[in-house]
């Protein structure tokens, strides 16, 4: 492995490995219905109007964990607030933070409901990035692939397995194990008995990358998916490399 830059490559999942916007829109809509004690239930993109889709999609990249879909759904449903940038989102996060944890629990219940009713249709709500899957397969075959995500690990395993990657549970740190990406990277360093310089981390949300970078980790912002221009600009200011495409030679 001496010819490789890193012993391990750590991937975030949503926005890096796949575009999960459609699945998150369906799940968060159902969770919001339950939160408001309504009995509406949607199963697919066909249940949404184009106006609803167009309103949700540009806001999705602000979300860093399932509970934060509360912010999106409250803004979209009540229309008494707006999100125009990261600062707006962070202010609402602070204002509504007490609601995020209970909403997160409902969100995961609704995701499990969708998966249980029709696994194939649920998986098809995720659009995987085939170039990323190709690189991940190579890394997995070399024993160099790790996942750090605030998605649930079972969803990650199901989607990867459908795409030919049967990753071990111990190589995924999900929302039940970590509260930050820095925590995940520190865990991998300890668990694998390696140095910080032996791994790198890829995420599509620059707010997940600043803390690990400042702690000495090599990080990259993925820009092939839903990463926002605002986040790319911040990455450049913070000297975080932006990857427009993924290539095995980078790792």
């Amino acid at each position: 492995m001496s010819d490789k830059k890193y012993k391990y490559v750590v991937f975030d999942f949503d926005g890096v490995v796949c575009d999960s916007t459609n699945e998150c829109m369906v799940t968060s809509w159902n969770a919001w219905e339950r939160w408001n004690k309504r009995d509406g239930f949607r199963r697919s993109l066909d249940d949404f109007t184009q106006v609803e889709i167009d309103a949700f999609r540009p806001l999705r990249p602000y979300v860093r964990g399932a509970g934060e879909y509360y912010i999106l759904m409250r803004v979209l449903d009540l229309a008494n607030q707006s999100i125009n940038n990261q600062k707006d989102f962070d202010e609402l996060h602070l204002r509504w933070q007490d609601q995020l944890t209970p909403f997160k629990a409902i969100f995961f219940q609704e995701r499990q409901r969708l998966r249980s009713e029709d696994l194939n249709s649920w998986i098809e709500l995720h659009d995987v990035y085939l170039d990323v899957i190709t690189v991940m397969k190579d890394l997995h075959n070399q024993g160099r692939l790790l996942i750090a995500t605030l998605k649930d690990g079972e969803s990650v395993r199901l989607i990867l397995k459908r795409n030919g990657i049967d990753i071990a549970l111990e190589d995924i740190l999900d929302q039940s194990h970590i509260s930050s990406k820095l925590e995940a990277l520190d865990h991998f360093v300890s668990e694998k008995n390696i140095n910080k310089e032996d791994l790198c981390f890829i995420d599509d949300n620059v707010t997940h990358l600043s803390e690990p970078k400042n702690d000495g980790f090599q990080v990259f912002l993925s820009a092939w998916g839903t990463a926002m221009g605002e986040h790319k600009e911040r990455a450049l200011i913070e000297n975080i490399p932006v990857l427009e495409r993924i290539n095995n030679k980078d790792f």
Side-chain angles (χ1 to χ4, degrees):
M1 211 176 290
S2 60
D3 61 329
K4 303 298 183 183
K5 291 184 180 180
Y6 306 102
K7 290 182 179 179
Y8 295 96
V9 183
V10 186
F11 286 76
D12 175 41
F13 198 78
D14 286 348
V16 175
V17 180
C18 69
D19 181 351
S20 63
T21 303
N22 293 339
E23 191 273 345
C24 292
M25 181 171 63
V26 175
T27 301
S28 57
W29 192 92
N30 291 333
W32 186 245
E33 285 292 292
R34 278 193 56 195
W35 180 270
N36 289 285
K37 297 180 172 55
R38 301 191 292 250
D39 59 2
F41 185 71
R42 297 179 178 181
R43 292 176 173 80
S44 73
L45 199 63
D46 294 338
D47 296 326
F48 291 82
T49 67
Q50 193 60 51
V51 171
E52 289 174 321
I53 294 169
D54 291 344
F56 185 91
R57 181 163 284 276
L59 299 182
R60 161 65 187 85
Y62 288 112
V63 173
R64 292 159 292 203
E68 293 182 359
Y69 285 105
Y70 172 89
I71 300 170
L72 265 60
M73 297 311 299
R74 181 165 175 173
V75 166
L76 293 172
D77 186 24
L78 303 181
N80 59 354
Q81 301 285 342
S82 62
I83 300 172
N84 299 304
N85 50 48
Q86 187 69 53
K87 183 175 181 290
D88 288 346
F89 185 85
D90 291 344
E91 287 176 353
L92 292 175
H93 186 286
L94 183 62
R95 186 184 308 175
W96 298 335
Q97 59 184 330
D98 291 344
Q99 313 302 319
L100 306 188
T101 297
F103 189 80
K104 173 182 172 180
I106 296 174
F107 181 94
F108 283 123
Q109 291 168 7
E110 290 302 313
R111 173 171 284 164
Q112 178 59 35
R113 180 182 178 187
L114 281 171
R115 276 201 319 235
S116 299
E117 289 196 359
D118 190 338
L119 178 59
N120 287 333
S121 294
W122 176 81
I123 289 179
E124 288 172 1
L125 287 170
H126 302 79
D127 296 322
V128 298
Y129 302 124
L130 296 179
D131 289 349
V132 180
I133 291 294
T134 297
V135 171
M136 292 177 77
K137 283 181 179 178
D138 288 343
L139 292 168
H140 182 248
N141 291 338
Q142 297 165 18
R144 300 169 59 215
L145 176 65
L146 300 171
I147 303 289
T149 178
L150 295 181
K151 198 180 186 73
D152 61 290
E154 181 62 16
S155 291
V156 171
R157 290 197 75 242
L158 287 168
I159 295 166
L160 289 181
K161 192 169 185 179
R162 180 63 60 91
N163 287 276
I165 302 173
D166 192 5
I167 190 169
L169 281 174
E170 59 265 26
D171 290 334
I172 301 175
L173 289 179
D174 72 355
Q175 55 83 31
S176 67
H177 301 100
I178 58 171
S179 58
S180 73
K181 301 300 175 65
L182 177 59
E183 184 182 353
L185 299 182
D186 283 338
H187 175 90
F188 283 136
V189 165
S190 175
E191 183 71 20
K192 303 295 183 182
N193 193 26
I194 58 175
N195 298 317
K196 291 179 180 180
E197 297 78 14
D198 291 329
L199 61 74
C200 67
F201 175 50
I202 307 169
D203 201 298
D204 69 313
N205 190 317
V206 75
T207 64
H208 284 311
L209 297 174
S210 300
E211 192 178 21
K213 181 183 185 298
N214 292 336
D215 202 57
F217 286 99
Q218 177 62 62
V219 299
F220 298 94
L221 179 72
S222 66
W224 53 75
T226 57
M228 297 179 293
E230 175 186 353
H231 285 183
K232 294 178 188 178
E233 292 172 4
R234 176 170 163 182
L236 293 174
I237 292 170
E238 297 183 15
N239 293 316
I240 294 173
V242 177
L243 298 178
E244 297 290 345
R245 298 183 62 184
I246 193 165
N247 190 310
N248 265 338
K249 294 179 181 179
D250 294 324
F251 313 113

